[in-house]
Amino acid sequence: MTLELGVLVSGGGSNLEAILAAIADGRLDARCRLVLSNRPAVFALERARAAGVPSVVVDHKQYPTRDAFGRAALVELRAHGVEWLALAGFMRVLSADFLAAFPGRVVNIHPSLLPAFPGVAAQKQAYDAGVKLAGCTVHFVDAGVDSGPIIAQSSVPVLESDSAEDLRLRILEQEHVLFPRALQWIAEGRVQVVSRAGARDIVAIAPEGKTSIAEVKER
Ligand code: GRF
């Protein structure tokens, strides 16, 4: 299936660029229908323009509530035929009403090995905690902060000589690989959320060539 994708951004947009590059060279079966930024004049908007992708600013500061912002964003996303959302450095929590418009179809990249270090400045949190392994996580978005079912993770070592910035860049490099790849697994229908009594939901991923987990279980 081709993902009709909206990409939500708040800043530099290097993850957006990685997604657009993966679409352009056939690694990701998706169309980027719209890039939506909650902040004006961010570099991600330049990247969208350079790639010829429609973009729009819905400035959250212009709306009195999270819900009002969500409704305005939804109007734009619907008008552009968006069916799936990739949060690529998007720094706002989305309202439950907004998420309900894309049930199970919102995916985020977070720069830590969740559930460790949710929230802002996750790389610095990990650096300050002195962890030896850091990394990034692609996960489905639920109403919590960085708390939905985990789709994929990449780890990177933390070196003794690292500055916090060195670590941030090493994680970011992995984000650019992991996010398009996880989206492609979804496009291939290989991703399924599995509920477990008394435990967190997990994501099962069918091996390459199998279109669904159900198909794998049947054999
Ligand atoms: C990334 O590290 C992302 O995981 C985090 O914010 C950063 C945004 O980078 N949420 P970019 O805007 O994609 O360059």
Side-chain angles (χ1 to χ4, degrees):
M1 129 184 90
T2 301
L3 301 180
E4 306 298 346
L5 205 59
V7 183
L8 270 51
V9 298
S10 300
S14 68
N15 278 290
L16 164 68
E17 183 97 39
I19 289 169
L20 294 176
I23 294 173
D25 66 22
R27 280 176 294 123
L28 173 55
D29 184 6
R31 259 185 297 262
C32 185
R33 293 278 193 163
L34 182 67
V35 172
L36 185 148
S37 175
N38 68 305
R39 291 176 57 209
V42 293
F43 192 58
L45 293 164
E46 295 296 326
R47 296 190 202 255
R49 264 174 231 130
V53 170
S55 62
V56 67
V57 174
V58 180
D59 183 351
H60 67 274
K61 290 188 181 144
Q62 306 296 321
Y63 297 89
T65 62
R66 205 177 288 284
D67 273 334
F69 165 73
R71 279 194 296 275
L74 196 52
V75 168
E76 294 290 348
L77 295 164
R78 285 213 168 113
H80 286 84
V82 169
E83 292 176 3
W84 286 80
L85 289 182
L87 312 190
F90 182 67
M91 302 304 280
R92 301 291 296 170
V93 173
L94 294 164
S95 71
D97 278 356
F98 178 88
L99 290 174
F102 298 94
R105 289 171 168 228
V106 185
V107 182
N108 182 44
I109 180 100
H110 181 77
S112 78
L113 294 174
L114 290 172
F117 313 120
V120 293
Q123 309 95 321
K124 182 73 167 41
Q125 292 184 52
Y127 183 83
D128 289 347
V131 298
K132 303 298 187 194
L133 268 184
C136 54
T137 302
V138 176
H139 65 96
F140 285 114
V141 174
D142 63 13
V145 175
D146 303 322
S147 62
I150 291 169
I151 302 169
Q153 295 184 303
S154 285
S155 63
V156 301
V158 184
L159 308 180
E160 219 169 284
S161 57
D162 275 347
S163 64
E165 179 63 4
D166 292 334
L167 180 60
R168 189 186 71 81
L169 292 174
R170 191 175 304 120
I171 294 170
L172 191 59
E173 208 174 294
Q174 287 309 307
E175 293 181 42
H176 298 161
V177 177
L178 190 68
F179 205 5
R181 186 176 291 168
L183 290 168
Q184 175 60 15
W185 292 344
I186 292 171
E188 290 171 11
R190 291 166 53 198
V191 170
Q192 186 182 307
V193 178
V194 180
S195 291
R196 296 177 300 167
R200 286 172 65 107
D201 288 350
I202 57 162
V203 168
I205 298 166
E208 208 168 350
K210 307 278 188 240
T211 52
S212 72
I213 306 300
E215 186 189 345
V216 172
K217 280 183 187 153
E218 273 162 24
R219 294 183 177 190

